[in-house]
Amino acid sequence: MKITNLKLQNFRNHEETVVEWAPHMNVIVGQNGAGKTNLIDAIHYLCMSRSFVSSSDMYVVNQDATFFMIKGHFEGNIRASFDVGCSYSRGEGKKIFVNESPLDRLSDLIGMVPVVVLSPSDKKLTSEGPKQRRSFIDSFISQISPAYLQDLLDFRKARKQRNKLLQEFRGNREVLLAYLEPWNVQLMEYGSRIVAKRTEVLNKFRDYLAKEYEVISGMRHEPHLEYQTFCEPSEDEETVRERYQAELEKEQDHELERELTLIGPHRDEIVFYLDDFELRKYGSQGQHRLFALALKLAQLLYFSDELDDLPIFLLDDVFGDLDAQRTEVLLNALIEHAGQTFVTAANPIPFDEYITFDGERNRKYKVDQGQISVVKTK
Amino acid sequence: MEGTSEILEQAIEQLAKLPGTGRKSARRIALFLLKQNDESVIKLAEALISLKKSITRCSTCGVISDGDPCSICQNTKRQTGQICVVEESQDVFLIEKTNEFRGRYHVLGGVISPLDNIGPDDVRIKQLMQRINEDDEQIDEVILALNPDSEGEATSYYINKLLKPFDDVEVTRIAYGIPMGTELEFIDEATLGRAFASRNTF
Ligand SMILES: [Zn+2]
């Protein structure tokens, strides 16, 4: 999948910006604060309906404006050509349009344009709490399976309904249990499918991760990942459901006492290891960085193998941190990726050495105070 | 303010409360009504008053109706053995249009949703159980026709559970399907997935 052009209005420091993109490599160079990350964040909006930088749409609107608008034209294999738009205003909230018609739900956008992002905040993936890893795997699988995303949304709904009963129901225990039952059924149905799907994808993902970590680190350590859920992970939904039911029954008193849903994929953890030490506890800064890099490259390759359309790869300001050897490895991976890539950087030096900016297949851009221009090459 | 009419402004204010009507269209409606003859405006006003005053709910099935019991519950030609459970009165009107169902209805007036503080006692589930327990309606099938969202599903599950002890009452539900005249590629995955799961023998 490729984005051929992008139009921005009041998107952070881009008051009015129009860019035509190259089909392979797009390197965007500029000082910090010039607005280069905003350009690829806008592309991310058109893929995932949200920013990869800020948690709230409100902060994305230009200071002097009350709304922002992003429009992009895409070309791919499954859908030959289509437009995606995203508008946000304080009054109306966020809306996504595909070929000018609004989507009923923002989530319907996910998976239409697969995307992989590499950014400095990736180090949180391995160093912070389990929520980071759950949201990594959820956004990963949602892009390859719309049914999984629907299960996540339905599971969250059932869990909220159930939690509300656990927290606020005042009355006889038997009545509460009868009221909980319809939600238990939904919790188990969606939850079991989520666990089975996570197991299946992570089982396949392991090999990709091992391979990419070896390429990026030079094989000093062997990476492992362990998926932890309320039972022995299984790709079989029925097996998981039986275990789910048993655990719910076992934890019933505990749940009534804590007034919370305690069993389910919302409490899953993915533990990363290098050889046999746990990365989160014992990893060095450098190891975290390399592991995150390997995770994202593995995701890129997984998507490229599984999906009919190649993902768009966004790299935000990651080259500054890498030594010469890693820079070379990563650049080679980008050159090999047949899909479209966007790179932002403060320093253009390493790219000129490896990439031929012919202005057709590969293009270099300069961004200054929200203004973008193509850098002419000889 | 001079040059405006207090009475006109009041009418506009009331009209603007109607769904889909902004102040601008409310003003246009008010001015339109002023131009009409007395009789037609009075007819409209009377229709509105009787809509609120005379319309009632059928005490048996809960549907909005002119009288109690409603015309469906009164109709002796309809089968008494089947009850179709729906969320709102408008669902009854929709199913009636299909001419496929000749039994009677039960309008719940909502679905279970703890997040909205709606429990089983806040919808007409007890009344449904009463109808099934009473002897004058001999019920042998309860058809659940609630929306396929999580609240509708939970409500269907709850009712089905309550009906389990009644051996001579069969509980069925309407099938999930694909809208007529719709091509597969335009159907969202969730609908298609459900239609698949509830497929039947050809
Ligand atoms: Zn009736």
Side-chain angles (χ1 to χ4, degrees):
Chain A
M1 191 75 70
K2 291 176 176 67
I3 178 169
T4 56
N5 73 60
L6 177 73
K7 286 182 197 155
L8 302 180
Q9 241 184 315
N10 301 325
F11 189 82
R12 293 211 188 81
N13 67 343
H14 293 272
E15 278 172 38
E16 286 283 353
T17 294
V18 180
V19 208
E20 303 286 324
W21 300 113
H24 187 230
M25 289 281 286
N26 294 277
V27 174
I28 307 160
V29 182
Q31 308 260 303
N32 286 337
K36 51 191 194 306
T37 298
N38 302 344
L39 285 165
I40 63 170
D41 200 21
I43 296 173
H44 192 267
Y45 258 100
L46 299 182
C47 303
M48 300 296 284
S49 78
R50 59 180 168 79
S51 165
F52 73 84
V53 184
S54 12
S55 52
S56 167
D57 300 316
M58 223 162 67
Y59 305 125
V60 175
V61 181
N62 183 297
Q63 285 172 354
D64 306 320
T66 54
F67 75 99
F68 72 71
M69 172 68 104
I70 313 166
K71 279 183 181 170
H73 183 75
F74 291 85
E75 283 172 10
N77 296 331
I78 302 223
R79 288 169 182 249
S81 158
F82 59 99
D83 294 314
V84 179
C86 172
S87 70
Y88 170 85
S89 71
R90 251 154 248 190
E92 304 229 337
K94 185 158 53 180
K95 286 193 184 120
I96 301 281
F97 301 83
V98 173
N99 289 336
E100 309 289 322
S101 53
L103 293 184
D104 291 342
R105 303 175 309 172
L106 297 180
S107 63
D108 290 339
L109 177 70
I110 317 287
M112 217 173 268
V113 185
V115 66
V116 175
V117 191
L118 193 56
S119 84
S121 64
D122 286 341
K123 53 179 178 286
K124 290 186 199 161
L125 261 178
T126 56
S127 58
E128 290 189 1
K131 203 175 164 198
Q132 301 283 338
R133 289 175 288 288
R134 281 195 299 269
S135 84
F136 168 69
I137 196 66
D138 284 344
S139 117
F140 188 123
I141 306 176
S142 295
Q143 291 195 68
I144 51 182
S145 163
Y148 178 84
L149 178 56
Q150 190 58 49
D151 284 337
L152 282 179
L153 298 173
D154 289 339
F155 177 83
R156 191 165 62 189
K157 184 80 166 288
R159 181 164 66 92
K160 278 189 177 169
Q161 294 279 20
R162 201 174 176 271
N163 283 345
K164 174 90 181 208
L165 272 175
L166 286 166
Q167 280 150 20
E168 294 189 2
F169 184 82
R170 294 287 166 263
N172 162 329
R173 179 189 160 102
E174 290 314 308
V175 176
L176 174 58
L177 292 179
Y179 282 13
L180 282 173
E181 202 181 313
W183 305 109
N184 294 353
V185 172
Q186 292 188 24
L187 197 76
M188 289 187 287
E189 180 184 342
Y190 306 126
S192 308
R193 283 214 288 269
I194 292 168
V195 169
K197 190 73 183 172
R198 284 181 181 172
T199 310
E200 177 201 319
V201 171
L202 287 171
N203 280 344
K204 276 196 255 174
F205 183 67
R206 262 193 196 96
D207 296 337
Y208 285 90
L209 178 65
K211 199 171 139 228
E212 288 314 301
Y213 192 80
E214 185 186 321
V215 172
I216 211 91
S217 73
M219 217 188 148
R220 273 187 305 243
H221 299 283
E222 210 183 313
H224 297 287
L225 73 82
E226 188 193 349
Y227 174 38
Q228 298 175 342
T229 184
F230 52 80
C231 64
E232 185 68 34
S234 165
E235 296 185 21
D236 180 52
E237 197 186 313
E238 273 312 306
T239 312
V240 178
R241 194 201 298 259
E242 278 166 30
R243 296 293 305 138
Y244 204 155
Q245 180 143 20
E247 287 301 311
L248 266 186
E249 278 163 20
K250 206 172 85 188
E251 291 295 314
Q252 192 179 74
D253 288 342
H254 206 174
E255 284 196 330
L256 296 185
E257 185 193 322
R258 294 271 311 273
E259 303 185 341
L260 259 185
T261 299
L262 297 174
I263 311 294
H266 60 296
R267 295 166 73 99
D268 283 359
E269 167 67 300
I270 298 164
V271 187
F272 296 125
Y273 297 91
L274 280 176
D275 296 330
D276 46 13
F277 69 84
E278 196 182 324
L279 184 66
R280 185 171 165 210
K281 288 183 186 146
Y282 307 107
S284 68
Q285 282 294 324
Q287 283 167 333
H288 281 292
R289 195 182 303 141
L290 291 186
F291 206 96
L293 196 57
L295 280 172
K296 292 303 178 75
L297 286 174
Q299 183 185 8
L300 184 74
L301 289 180
Y302 190 112
F303 278 16
S304 303
D305 285 351
E306 289 276 315
L307 299 171
D308 296 312
D309 268 308
L310 291 171
I312 291 178
F313 196 17
L314 306 175
L315 296 93
D316 184 33
D317 206 14
V318 286
F319 282 90
D321 280 353
L322 299 175
D323 60 24
Q325 190 200 339
R326 274 20 176 291
T327 300
E328 187 178 342
V329 170
L330 184 56
L331 276 170
N332 282 328
L334 297 189
I335 292 164
E336 271 172 39
H337 174 54
Q340 196 180 26
T341 299
F342 294 83
V343 182
T344 70
N347 185 349
I349 290 165
F351 307 106
D352 293 334
E353 225 179 291
Y354 289 88
I355 300 162
T356 323
F357 291 105
D358 56 3
E360 286 299 318
R361 213 168 105 80
N362 303 321
R363 237 174 261 171
K364 191 160 68 175
Y365 302 83
K366 192 174 176 301
V367 178
D368 193 18
Q369 296 180 347
Q371 303 293 319
I372 183 163
S373 52
V374 179
V375 180
K376 293 273 184 293
T377 41
K378 306 128 257 170
Chain B
M1 231 191 315
E2 271 179 76
T4 59
S5 152
E6 183 82 8
I7 296 165
L8 177 64
E9 290 302 318
Q10 268 175 16
I12 292 170
E13 198 167 307
Q14 293 308 317
L15 286 167
K17 288 179 185 166
L18 299 175
T21 318
R23 271 199 85 81
K24 216 170 157 185
S25 12
R27 175 175 297 273
R28 210 165 45 223
I29 295 168
L31 293 173
F32 168 83
L33 291 173
L34 270 181
K35 281 193 205 146
Q36 303 303 299
N37 59 37
D38 289 1
E39 194 192 351
S40 67
V41 178
I42 286 164
K43 262 191 185 157
L44 171 66
E46 280 171 356
L48 290 175
I49 290 165
S50 54
L51 174 71
K52 195 61 201 163
K53 288 258 166 78
S54 313
I55 241 180
T56 171
R57 276 177 191 279
C58 174
S59 57
T60 308
C61 71
V63 76
I64 292 173
S65 106
D66 292 349
D68 182 14
C70 71
S71 57
I72 296 174
C73 289
Q74 255 178 345
N75 186 345
T76 48
K77 284 189 190 143
R78 298 191 73 121
Q79 286 140 23
T80 47
Q82 287 178 320
I83 292 186
C84 177
V85 180
V86 296
E87 187 176 330
E88 297 293 352
S89 293
Q90 66 200 42
D91 303 326
V92 172
F93 309 144
L94 283 173
I95 296 171
E96 278 303 286
K97 271 197 203 158
T98 68
N99 272 326
E100 287 292 331
F101 180 63
R102 297 299 296 158
R104 294 179 176 173
Y105 292 94
H106 190 85
V107 179
L108 292 177
V111 281
I112 298 172
S113 175
L115 287 170
D116 302 305
N117 295 312
I118 303 172
D121 292 344
D122 303 308
V123 297
R124 301 178 68 254
I125 291 179
K126 272 200 181 121
Q127 289 87 332
L128 174 67
M129 296 313 290
Q130 262 165 25
R131 284 177 75 177
I132 288 158
N133 276 316
E134 272 166 19
D135 289 335
D136 50 335
E137 274 186 287
Q138 190 60 253
I139 311 296
D140 44 47
E141 185 182 1
V142 172
I143 303 161
L144 299 170
L146 303 177
N147 287 319
D149 54 15
S150 51
E151 293 78 17
E153 290 286 297
T155 310
S156 293
Y157 183 91
Y158 189 83
I159 293 172
N160 182 43
K161 181 95 194 221
L162 290 179
L163 291 172
K164 276 260 166 67
F166 297 83
D167 288 336
D168 45 357
V169 179
E170 192 189 2
V171 183
T172 58
R173 70 193 309 182
I174 54 167
Y176 300 120
I178 288 171
M180 295 269 278
T182 312
E183 287 182 41
L184 286 186
E185 64 168 314
F186 296 115
I187 295 169
D188 70 276
E189 320 241 352
T191 306
L192 191 53
R194 287 242 161 99
F196 237 97
S198 58
R199 69 187 180 277
N200 43 36
T201 322
F202 194 59

